[in-house]
Amino acid sequence: MSFERLKLFTILLPAVVIGGFELIRHEFLLHYLSMEVGNVYIIILTLLLSYWFSTWMFRKIQAMNETIAAERSRRAVYEERERLARELHDNIAQMLFFLNVQLKQGKTAEARSVVAEIDHHLRQAIFNLRSLPEDGVSFPDRVGRWLREWSAISGVEAERQGEWVDGLFTSNEEVQLFAIVQEAFTNIRKHSEADRATLEFAYDGETGRWTLAVRDNGNGM
């Protein structure tokens, strides 16, 4: 049912049912029902109608909200795929150009390093595409799998600490949060020269505040 029809139905139903009952009572039932009894009946009818209508309406609203939430989740997954595609294209294009320069100059050691970097980006891109939210994997499991993969590729020991709270974020927010974690650990691998990194999540139920911290034992700024 469209929004306009739902609006029209909401306006007309109470008026038609209650008004119709009053019209029938005064035209045909006045000799059988006293005013007092008729008033009791109209109160009961109004209560039953209100209960049925409000129950139906809230179920309709809940179904619409669930549909909107599912659409937002699909949109978040689509946007994440687009971001990964752009990121992969830009990084690989830059590294291939740099690799070509190194090979022309005969710098084989630097070229091997670039090839290793390309391999790393491709592995991460494949893993990211396989572990998007639509796979039904919970966010902590997804992050844990990614950290294990990242640790195996980078050689940096990674650890996840803290208890995750389910339902704290929407699918779209989890996508953005996951991208932040990826970027932080990518910077650790590229710049910190660390051999150990930690991802810590903390949530304060009293204040509703949450904290995400990424730490490493590298060189720092």
Side-chain angles (χ1 to χ4, degrees):
M1 184 179 293
S2 66
F3 178 78
E4 290 299 327
R5 289 184 179 181
L6 188 62
K7 180 180 178 181
L8 184 63
F9 184 71
T10 304
I11 296 173
L12 294 180
L13 180 63
V16 170
V17 174
I18 297 175
F21 176 80
E22 284 291 290
L23 179 63
I24 294 173
R25 181 165 73 99
H26 284 85
E27 291 292 331
F28 304 105
L29 303 177
L30 197 58
H31 297 294
Y32 305 98
L33 295 176
S34 64
M35 290 297 294
E36 291 78 9
V37 174
N39 290 337
V40 172
Y41 281 171
I42 197 65
I43 291 173
I44 295 174
L45 178 62
T46 303
L47 289 175
L48 292 176
L49 179 63
S50 299
Y51 174 78
W52 173 82
F53 184 74
S54 61
T55 301
W56 176 82
M57 179 62 72
F58 280 114
R59 287 178 179 174
K60 194 74 175 177
I61 293 174
Q62 182 180 3
M64 293 173 64
N65 288 337
E66 290 174 353
T67 301
I68 293 173
E71 182 61 31
R72 286 178 177 174
S73 297
R74 288 192 292 269
R75 181 64 182 176
V77 171
Y78 172 76
E79 291 177 351
E80 178 67 359
R81 287 185 184 274
E82 289 292 311
R83 186 190 69 81
L84 291 173
R86 290 194 303 269
E87 183 180 276
L88 181 62
H89 174 271
D90 295 341
N91 290 337
I92 297 299
Q94 292 175 6
M95 286 185 288
L96 286 175
F97 175 79
F98 184 67
L99 175 62
N100 185 48
V101 172
Q102 299 302 313
L103 290 175
K104 286 182 178 180
Q105 296 177 354
K107 299 179 180 179
T108 56
E110 289 82 353
R112 283 194 294 269
S113 176
V114 175
V115 171
E117 186 72 13
I118 293 175
D119 178 70
H120 171 82
H121 277 277
L122 288 176
R123 286 173 180 266
Q124 287 296 327
I126 292 172
F127 176 81
N128 292 340
L129 290 173
R130 286 177 176 175
S131 60
L132 286 172
E134 63 182 0
D135 292 336
V137 180
S138 67
F139 186 77
D141 291 340
R142 184 182 177 213
V143 172
R145 286 169 48 189
W146 186 85
L147 284 178
R148 289 191 295 272
E149 181 80 9
W150 178 86
S151 181
I153 295 174
S154 65
V156 179
E157 180 183 351
E159 181 183 7
R160 181 166 58 92
Q161 299 178 351
E163 292 295 328
W164 181 260
V165 180
D166 292 329
L168 192 59
F169 302 100
T170 64
S171 297
N172 186 32
E173 291 169 341
E174 287 183 355
V175 167
Q176 298 178 32
L177 195 60
F178 188 70
I180 293 172
V181 172
Q182 287 179 302
E183 184 65 23
F185 277 86
T186 297
N187 290 334
I188 289 175
R189 181 184 61 84
K190 286 183 176 180
H191 308 298
S192 71
E193 299 181 3
D195 59 14
R196 187 170 65 256
T198 303
L199 172 67
E200 181 180 357
F201 181 86
Y203 176 71
D204 188 341
E206 295 182 358
T207 62
R209 299 181 61 182
W210 59 272
T211 304
L212 178 71
V214 178
R215 299 183 176 89
D216 65 77
N217 64 345
N219 296 330
M221 298 297 291

